[in-house]
Amino acid sequence: MIDVLLGLQWGDEGKGKIVDYFAPGYDVIARFQGGPNAGHTLYVDGKKTVLHQIPSGIFHEEKVNLIGNGVVLDPVTLKRECETVASFGVDYRKNLFISERTHLILPTHRAIDKASELAKGNDKIGSTLKGIGPAYMDKTGRNGLRVGDLLDKNFTTQYIRLRLKHQKMLESLNFHEDISAWEEEFFDALELLRQFNIVNGEYFINDKLRKGNKVLAEGAQGSMLDVDFGTFPFVTSSNTISAGVCTGLGVAPQQIREVFGVTKAYCTRVGSGPFPTELLDETGELIRNTGHEFGSTTGRPRRCGWIDLVALRFACMINGVTQIIMTKADVLDNLDTLNVCDKYLIDGRETDEVPFQMNRLQIEPVYRTFEGWKTDITGITAYDVMPGSMKAYIDYLDTALGVPVKYICNGPGREQIVVTGKNK
Ligand code: GDP
Ligand code: IMO
Ligand code: MG
């Protein structure tokens, strides 16, 4: 049986914290897509740490953590992260496994990412510049190198061949930076990667499932960044939605049970692209400062706005969400009123559908206003004693989305999560 946990917005919903919280109930925690563009924050023994490549179950010693074939892997980031994880006393060699089909991010992928963003000028995606797009391009273009190739004696020849192709691309993009230091780091990190538990991922996980193990699939990014269903072209290059679990791990859809959708009590986005409920005023600034809304991977300020039910309903639909987890409710503690976007107004017409090419349209959000709770909720441990105006907000989301809001987070800590007791 597999449960999926993924973001319903534009990423950074607090997935890492929730995976860490849920991990004790599972045997295997598996990443199925994305790469070091992800930044999943966890608090371990009260100490903050951010994971980019390694699944967020790594701090639970007895759990198996799998990097699936759908992920793109940067050996340099992995090495650094292994050092961080080891500093917490985790023996990652024991409980971290990597699929041999996982594609590698090469130094030239990072260079191409940078060069193509520069070439786009004002139209840039706002990529994290981790080489994600170029690595997935080489996967679908059938050029990429995979973790399993590292064990082939011809690896270096294959690498040089691909590097040559990339160099031609870089020349055409007028990119002439010296990346020899990156390459040195890369080859150094490959030495560590070769020593890992490299497994035939799809047999590995199906064998676990056959034995009755419970798997938690950990999404990266968010549904509105999905390459097919997000705000294209301002998206990432993988399928971030629940369907990505099957192709990203090599498992059948019948194995999937719950789909946990994580949303903030408001909304953020980092990078370019449409964001209908964005607040460019002092309320947006207040949310950013209160919520410490600065990227976990790049440190960039996150754009902040009201919760968007049009986008959330869409995300629930395409993912088959069965339970909602709402994070960062405490960030709204001081607001007098809160807005919820129910519909979009486009060319004088109301719609509750996410339109094609949002970025080419003038979208005006249609809001419903709620009273703020004006209470410090960070120490509350039972839903019953949450403020009434907050419950009214949650009740509305619950009904409007048609999916129960089962958990509410009221702080970044491991223990700051409250069960609502809501069911369908
Ligand atoms: P992820 O990419 O979805 O794992 O999310 P990030 O780690 O990038 O960003 C979420 C941020 O919010 C992190 O700094 C978390 O520590 C923090 N966080 C998570 N849940 C809560 C919450 O309920 N309240 C507050 N104040 N912070 C939270
Ligand atoms: P987690 O897993 C938020 C955004 C980037 C950019 C776009 C494309 O922490 O939620 P890419 O580097 O993938 O080519 O960037 O996607 N982006 C994220 N935004 N959280 C993430 O991951 C993101 N990963 C990518 O800012 O707009
Ligand atoms: Mg993040």
Side-chain angles (χ1 to χ4, degrees), residues 17 329-330 377-381 386 408-412 416-418:
K17 167 189 157 151
D330 54 300
I377 62 162
T378 53
I380 296 181
T381 52
M386 283 286 183
I408 296 169
C409 290
N410 54 346
Q416 286 173 301
I417 183 160
V418 176

Side-chain angles (χ1 to χ4, degrees), residues 38 44 49 61 78 88 114 131-132 134 137 146 203 208 215 234 237 270 297 302 315 376 381:
V44 186
T49 185
E61 215 184 305
L78 179 72
F88 283 90
K114 190 171 172 188
I132 306 295
M137 269 164 65
R146 298 180 290 175
Y203 282 101
K208 298 261 180 227
V215 176
F234 300 98
S237 300
V270 59
T297 299
R302 294 179 184 145
D376 176 357
T381 52

Side-chain angles (χ1 to χ4, degrees), residues 148-282:
D149 293 326
L150 287 173
L151 309 175
D152 188 315
K153 63 179 183 331
N154 292 322
F155 177 78
T156 310
T157 316
Q158 289 177 286
Y159 173 83
I160 291 169
R161 206 177 292 148
L162 186 52
R163 187 188 191 279
L164 271 175
K165 269 192 192 165
H166 290 165
Q167 268 168 339
K168 285 192 189 122
M169 287 170 78
L170 286 166
E171 273 158 33
S172 74
L173 287 162
N174 219 5
F175 184 91
H176 303 290
E177 277 178 40
D178 178 15
I179 60 161
S180 52
W182 294 1
E183 267 193 314
E184 209 173 293
E185 269 186 321
F186 176 77
F187 275 96
D188 183 46
L190 289 186
E191 287 314 308
L192 177 76
L193 187 47
R194 283 196 179 92
Q195 296 164 29
F196 262 90
N197 297 305
I198 297 173
V199 294
N200 192 336
E202 51 285 11
Y203 282 101
F204 179 84
I205 199 156
N206 279 289
D207 185 48
K208 298 261 180 227
L209 289 168
R210 216 171 12 253
K211 288 179 178 150
N213 281 197
K214 289 163 92 179
V215 176
L216 181 63
E218 173 181 3
Q221 291 78 56
S223 305
M224 298 307 285
L225 287 170
D226 181 277
V227 67
D228 281 278
F229 300 106
T231 47
F232 190 89
F234 300 98
V235 293
T236 190
S237 300
S238 65
N239 282 117
T240 60
I241 63 164
S242 53
V245 173
C246 295
T247 53
L249 293 176
V251 293
Q254 298 94 315
Q255 297 279 2
I256 296 177
R257 191 184 63 167
E258 299 291 332
V259 180
F260 300 108
V262 189
T263 172
K264 283 178 183 165
Y266 48 95
C267 192
T268 64
R269 167 161 213 172
V270 59
S272 331
F275 182 0
T277 60
E278 182 170 15
L279 286 164
L280 298 165
D281 57 9
E282 65 277 12

Side-chain angles (χ1 to χ4, degrees), residues 3 42 90 95 113 123 146-147 188 203 240 262 395 415:
D3 289 344
L42 293 80
V90 173
N95 65 347
D113 211 356
D123 296 330
R146 298 180 290 175
V147 169
D188 183 46
Y203 282 101
T240 60
V262 189
D395 285 347
E415 71 297 346

Side-chain angles (χ1 to χ4, degrees), residues 10-12 15 37-40 125-128 220-221 235-236 270 300:
W10 281 283
D12 303 328
K15 300 174 291 292
N37 47 352
H40 295 181
I125 308 292
S127 155
T128 59
Q221 291 78 56
V235 293
T236 190
V270 59
R300 292 177 291 178

